[in-house]
Amino acid sequence: MAALRIGTCSWKYPSWAGIVYSAEKNINYLAEYAARFDTVEIDQWFWSLHGPDSVSLPRPEVVREYAAAVPPSFRFTVKAPDSVTLTHVRRKGAAAPLVENPHFLSPELFFRFLDSLSPMHGLLGPVMLQFEYLNRQKMASQRAFLDRLGDFLAAMPRDIPLGIESRNPNYLSRPYFDLLAAHGVAHVFLQGYYMPPVWDVAARPGGMPAVLPRMAPEPPAARPPAHVIRLHGPDRAGIEERSGGAWNRIVEARDDELPRVLALVRDFLARDIDVFLNVNNHYEGSAPLSIVKIRSLLGMA
């Protein structure tokens, strides 16, 4: 039977005191969080590319600390380092030249990242590779992207679940979904920014997954990979300004779209697909309060 896990994007927000936490400080935030939720998204290790020859990876003591703070049933979804997913080093100004990232889709660097997560391997949900919008300066075509991605996925181990988040709406077509399905990898659905609604993406050819076998010589998978839906909203800067940095109230309710998001969740579950629903503070103003609303809409206690 498929499982639904609902959690937040990151967790250390003192303004959640009284909603999630017993106090604003001097507490183990993650341990208190894990007493209320069964999953969380870690994004702090995403910002890892500091130059062509400068990459940072998770510190072992931090990984051990996080793993020790949660029960065995808890699951982390983790954003992979941008040192693997950026085609070029981030520019320090629009006029600065593009500098290629030599680590783009490097299996070797990704394996080093996975090794750094070894204390939490038994607690991992999908590890997500987030790709920024790729213009023609950064990627010649969808085909060029899929060729590079296919080579990378072919080198990946099967015991770590992966998810791919592409922020090129035009890439989300049959060849893309077919490639992911062939490798037993899930698409990460992003609700927000300039991306099309998640229900529209799922309605595209290949967007609603079926139970497909993994590539030979692996035995057929009994079930499709777990899927992640990330709720971010369209206006990060606006929500930040209106919240004043206190994430303890709903700033902009998204009651019109939530039923459609949850209809997609129900559809995945009916297809025996596990779902991670990751809610950001920027979605409505307070991720925990959004989750209260979501649980009510789903009829969950």
Side-chain angles (χ1 to χ4, degrees):
M1 182 177 178
L4 169 63
R5 294 175 181 266
I6 309 174
T8 66
C9 300
S10 195
W11 65 88
K12 192 174 181 180
Y13 298 101
S15 57
W16 288 359
I19 302 173
V20 177
Y21 302 125
S22 59
E24 290 188 3
K25 56 185 179 180
N26 300 323
I27 61 172
N28 186 321
Y29 286 95
L30 183 54
E32 291 201 9
Y33 173 96
R36 292 176 175 266
F37 303 99
D38 59 4
T39 186
V40 77
E41 177 180 306
I42 301 179
D43 63 2
Q44 71 188 77
W45 299 320
F46 176 72
W47 307 96
S48 66
L49 184 64
H50 313 294
D53 302 312
S54 179
V55 171
S56 60
L57 294 174
R59 300 199 311 273
E61 65 272 18
V62 174
V63 180
R64 288 193 295 268
E65 174 190 337
Y66 291 170
V70 303
S73 59
F74 193 89
R75 292 294 179 269
F76 295 97
T77 57
V78 181
K79 283 176 63 173
D82 64 358
S83 48
V84 175
T85 60
L86 285 175
T87 59
H88 296 76
V89 178
R90 284 191 173 86
R91 293 191 285 187
K92 296 184 178 179
L98 279 174
V99 177
E100 287 192 11
N101 170 22
H103 311 287
F104 177 60
L105 286 176
S106 163
E108 185 274 334
L109 179 57
F110 192 73
F111 292 147
R112 286 171 52 202
F113 169 65
L114 292 181
D115 285 345
S116 74
L117 299 185
S118 58
M120 62 168 54
H121 274 195
L123 300 167
L124 284 178
V127 176
M128 301 174 291
L129 289 91
Q130 176 187 304
F131 297 89
E132 65 175 345
Y133 180 82
L134 299 173
N135 59 30
R136 290 299 179 90
Q137 286 182 297
K138 294 182 176 181
M139 186 62 60
S141 64
Q142 181 203 43
R143 184 70 263 160
F145 173 72
L146 294 183
D147 286 346
R148 291 291 301 272
L149 181 61
D151 290 344
F152 174 83
L153 294 178
M156 289 299 102
R158 297 292 179 169
D159 58 339
I160 300 293
L162 300 180
I164 304 298
E165 181 184 315
S166 169
R167 295 194 175 182
N168 279 63
N170 60 315
Y171 283 9
L172 307 183
S173 61
R174 171 68 77 175
Y176 166 81
F177 291 117
D178 284 351
L179 175 69
L180 300 193
H183 288 276
V185 172
H187 170 67
V188 174
F189 289 80
L190 175 65
Q191 179 68 12
Y193 304 124
Y194 56 84
M195 294 298 290
V198 292
W199 55 86
D200 283 354
V201 174
R204 296 184 178 191
M208 182 58 73
V211 178
L212 295 175
R214 292 198 175 198
M215 296 178 70
E218 298 288 335
R223 297 171 57 205
H227 279 53
V228 181
I229 301 175
R230 305 177 71 221
L231 302 185
H232 275 242
D235 186 11
R236 182 184 182 96
I239 289 285
E240 287 183 351
E241 181 178 357
R242 293 165 63 188
S243 72
W247 305 108
N248 55 9
R249 64 188 178 92
I250 299 295
V251 172
E252 184 171 345
R254 305 204 178 278
D255 296 343
D256 291 341
E257 71 177 45
L258 264 177
R260 301 194 72 176
V261 172
L262 299 183
L264 180 60
V265 170
R266 291 189 182 96
D267 202 346
F268 284 152
L269 295 174
R271 295 167 182 261
D272 202 28
I273 298 170
D274 293 336
V275 178
F276 289 79
L277 187 59
N278 297 0
V279 187
N280 197 293
N281 278 327
H282 296 94
Y283 186 62
E284 292 188 309
S286 175
L289 294 181
S290 293
I291 291 175
V292 170
K293 183 190 302 185
I294 288 167
R295 288 184 173 275
S296 177
L297 289 170
L298 290 172
M300 301 170 65

